[in-house]
Amino acid sequence: MEESESVSAKNNADKVDVSSRQSSQTKPRLKLFNKVIEKSLQWLLDNASFDRFSHYFQPLSKQNPQLTEAMHKQFISQLQTLVQKEIATVIEEGDLQVRLEELDKLQELAKDTPHAAWRPTGVPEQDVCSDLVSYYKKQEEYMRIQLKKLQKENAGLAQKVQAGRENITHTEQRIASGVEEWRASLEDLEAFVSTLSPSENFESL
């Protein structure tokens, strides 16, 4: 009886198609995932053997073994269907097939990468330090670039300030020159007026 149930369980497990895949188009990781699920389901069904099932229904199994066998078959069928539905739901909600295919594509692209990808050493202190060193080096390079930009901007601003100061100096010089010219013109005017009407002439009038 147990042998027949085991064969039946294996036949049922062979029919499992968790992700409704087409074998000719299945990606490597999806194949591996389906294989693991099939083996896990097979292990579950094997452990739900008729002997173990009937052990928990001993009075009934002794009085009516045919009914116990029918109950076991129904239990196996419902268990398999329920597990398949749950796995299918997980695959659908997590979009697992697409994710696994993306991993396959990334692996294919990584074949052309000359350097191996970073892997942890297993010592957290070393991994953290190595990661921090890389991070700080990037930050240092970034700060150098920003410093050069600021120095260039400051140099440009300094030139503008210097040019502004020179313009102010030239303006002050022009104003001073204009004042001197105005004073000279005023003195010439006063001298000219004094020649036309000297003060003593006004006193004699």
Side-chain angles (χ1 to χ4, degrees):
M1 183 69 65
E2 180 182 1
E3 183 178 357
S4 62
E5 290 299 329
S6 177
V7 172
S8 176
K10 289 182 179 180
N11 291 334
N12 290 333
D14 291 337
K15 297 178 182 179
V16 174
D17 188 7
V18 177
S19 60
S20 300
R21 60 186 174 87
Q22 296 180 356
S23 58
S24 60
Q25 299 178 354
T26 305
K27 297 295 182 179
R29 279 183 173 78
L30 193 57
K31 279 185 178 180
L32 179 61
F33 175 79
N34 288 329
K35 194 68 175 178
V36 170
I37 293 299
E38 289 175 3
K39 288 186 176 181
S40 299
L41 182 56
Q42 180 63 54
W43 177 86
L44 178 63
L45 297 177
D46 288 343
N47 279 273
S49 63
F50 177 77
D51 286 344
R52 181 170 294 182
F53 181 83
S54 61
H55 174 73
Y56 294 97
F57 299 93
Q58 286 185 1
L60 179 62
S61 62
K62 291 180 179 180
Q63 294 176 5
N64 196 339
Q66 291 81 8
L67 178 60
T68 307
E69 182 179 358
M71 290 174 57
H72 178 256
K73 288 182 179 180
Q74 185 178 4
F75 169 74
I76 291 295
S77 177
Q78 291 180 353
L79 176 63
Q80 180 176 337
T81 301
L82 179 62
V83 171
Q84 289 176 356
K85 286 183 178 179
E86 289 295 328
I87 294 174
T89 300
V90 171
I91 293 175
E92 182 179 359
E93 291 180 353
D95 203 10
L96 189 58
Q97 182 172 350
V98 175
R99 303 302 180 190
L100 292 176
E101 290 178 354
E102 288 177 354
L103 286 175
D104 291 330
K105 292 178 181 178
L106 290 175
Q107 182 181 10
E108 189 67 24
L109 293 174
K111 291 181 179 179
D112 299 330
T113 304
H115 303 290
W118 179 85
R119 292 292 183 272
T121 62
V123 182
E125 293 81 2
Q126 294 181 4
D127 295 336
V128 171
C129 289
S130 62
D131 188 58
L132 288 176
V133 168
S134 176
Y135 171 77
Y136 284 131
K137 285 184 178 180
K138 291 180 180 179
Q139 290 297 314
E140 182 181 5
E141 183 64 23
Y142 172 78
M143 295 302 294
R144 286 179 180 175
I145 294 174
Q146 295 300 316
L147 178 60
K148 289 181 180 179
K149 289 182 179 179
L150 290 175
Q151 289 175 343
K152 186 176 181 180
E153 291 177 0
N154 289 339
L157 291 174
Q159 291 178 355
K160 291 181 180 179
V161 170
Q162 183 63 29
R165 288 176 178 175
E166 292 177 356
N167 289 334
I168 292 173
T169 301
H170 294 160
T171 302
E172 290 176 347
Q173 291 175 353
R174 288 197 299 270
I175 292 174
S177 177
V179 170
E180 292 296 329
E181 291 178 359
W182 177 77
R183 286 179 179 176
S185 299
L186 182 60
E187 291 176 355
D188 292 341
L189 180 61
E190 289 177 350
F192 176 72
V193 171
S194 63
T195 58
L196 293 177
S197 53
S199 58
E200 58 270 12
N201 293 336
F202 287 101
E203 291 177 356
S204 61
L205 292 176

